[in-house]
Amino acid sequence: MPTTEQGWPANVLQPSGTGSDPDAGIGLTVTAATAAGARASFAGSGSQVSVAAYGAYADQGAGGPPGIVGAFPPGVPADESPTSSGAAAATRTSIRGDTRYAYQAGTSMATPMVAGVAALVRSANPDLGSAAIVSLLKRTAKRAAGWTPALGWGVVDGEAAVEAARKIDLRAPSATFAAGSRAIAGPTATLSWRGTDRSPAPLVPSGIRTVELWRSVDGARFQYVGAARRGLTVDVPRGEVRFTLRAVDRAGNRAKLSAKRAITLTRP
């Protein structure tokens, strides 16, 4: 029968009382929904529920297919009677003449769908860690309102989750000077640069916000000078003066300061 206490390991992945917090837990506790987006009558509910996925077409006796179609090994007998939990057992069917399929209903049908969506999200954005993916699946799930004990944050939405993942930029941008090392005679110099923010498809980079200019005089630590998109006119003290860049994108990612990429201006 349906339960409001999911037990181990659900209470480890999403501890009791934390389901309503999209950032809580180390995993997901999944319940089953019907095609209409309602909790299946056999599925669990309660404060440990994170999200839902389709585990039945409709409740028993409501019409329609008797579950979710999936692979079903040959030689395993199918039993169309309901299980003790109220979910339908396997009902063998064929697809294009292949009888290695069956309809089944249960949270065991819903959970692999969530795992599959999580894999798609990680494939779309390999920079995301498990905690970020868990939170993303909750925030992008289909729901009428906020969290509920019946469906958690709602029915997992693969398209919305992947599209959201593509737009999460966690990669630092870069910047390069337009000129190399040179000697100068005056007290100022105009430096120009180009910033780039690139990510491999299908990721969507946030774009360059600004580029910071840092300066070191005669081997001292680099100090911040200013910031601009394409260049600055700066004071050049006497001695060996090194300048380096740090690009910042619209997502707040900041490149590391790199002495190896510095240019040197020498003013006698």
Side-chain angles (χ1 to χ4, degrees):
M1 298 298 292
T3 178
T4 57
E5 172 57 50
Q6 310 310 315
W8 186 90
N11 56 6
V12 176
L13 300 176
Q14 189 77 73
S16 296
T18 67
S20 59
D21 184 348
D23 297 316
I26 60 172
L28 295 167
T29 297
V30 179
T31 193
T34 66
R39 182 181 65 86
S41 61
F42 57 79
S45 62
S47 68
Q48 294 175 352
V49 174
S50 311
V51 291
Y54 299 119
Y57 180 80
D59 283 331
Q60 289 295 303
I68 306 297
V69 70
F72 197 81
V76 176
D79 181 2
E80 298 186 22
S81 61
T83 65
S84 59
S85 67
T91 303
R92 192 174 288 281
T93 188
S94 64
I95 297 178
R96 297 181 180 178
D98 190 335
T99 60
R100 294 174 296 175
Y101 296 90
Y103 286 104
Q104 291 182 279
T107 52
S108 293
M109 282 72 253
T111 301
M113 294 187 187
V114 177
V117 172
L120 289 174
V121 167
R122 183 61 182 270
S123 178
N125 191 339
D127 297 332
L128 294 176
S130 58
I133 294 174
V134 164
S135 178
L136 182 65
L137 294 187
K138 295 177 182 179
R139 296 177 189 277
T140 57
K142 294 179 181 178
R143 54 185 175 272
W147 179 90
T148 67
L151 295 174
W153 285 96
V155 179
V156 166
D157 186 331
E159 181 178 11
V162 169
E163 282 302 302
R166 292 178 59 228
K167 298 172 185 176
I168 298 176
D169 184 1
L170 298 174
R171 301 195 177 204
S174 61
T176 55
F177 285 106
S181 303
R182 61 191 177 94
I184 62 171
T188 64
T190 299
L191 302 176
S192 58
W193 52 75
R194 180 170 61 92
T196 57
D197 189 28
R198 297 173 180 169
S199 296
L203 296 180
V204 179
S206 60
I208 292 290
R209 186 178 74 192
T210 192
V211 177
E212 298 174 352
L213 180 67
W214 293 68
R215 181 181 65 192
S216 167
V217 180
D218 291 332
R221 293 182 61 183
F222 280 97
Q223 302 291 326
Y224 175 78
V225 176
R229 289 291 298 273
R230 298 186 181 279
L232 285 173
T233 298
V234 295
D235 294 331
V236 181
R238 293 185 182 278
E240 183 182 78
V241 185
R242 305 178 73 199
F243 290 95
T244 191
L245 302 171
R246 176 155 69 184
V248 183
D249 66 17
R250 293 189 179 95
N253 299 306
R254 302 163 67 88
K256 294 181 179 180
L257 287 177
S258 175
K260 293 181 180 180
R261 296 181 180 179
I263 62 169
T264 303
L265 304 185
T266 303
R267 181 184 168 198

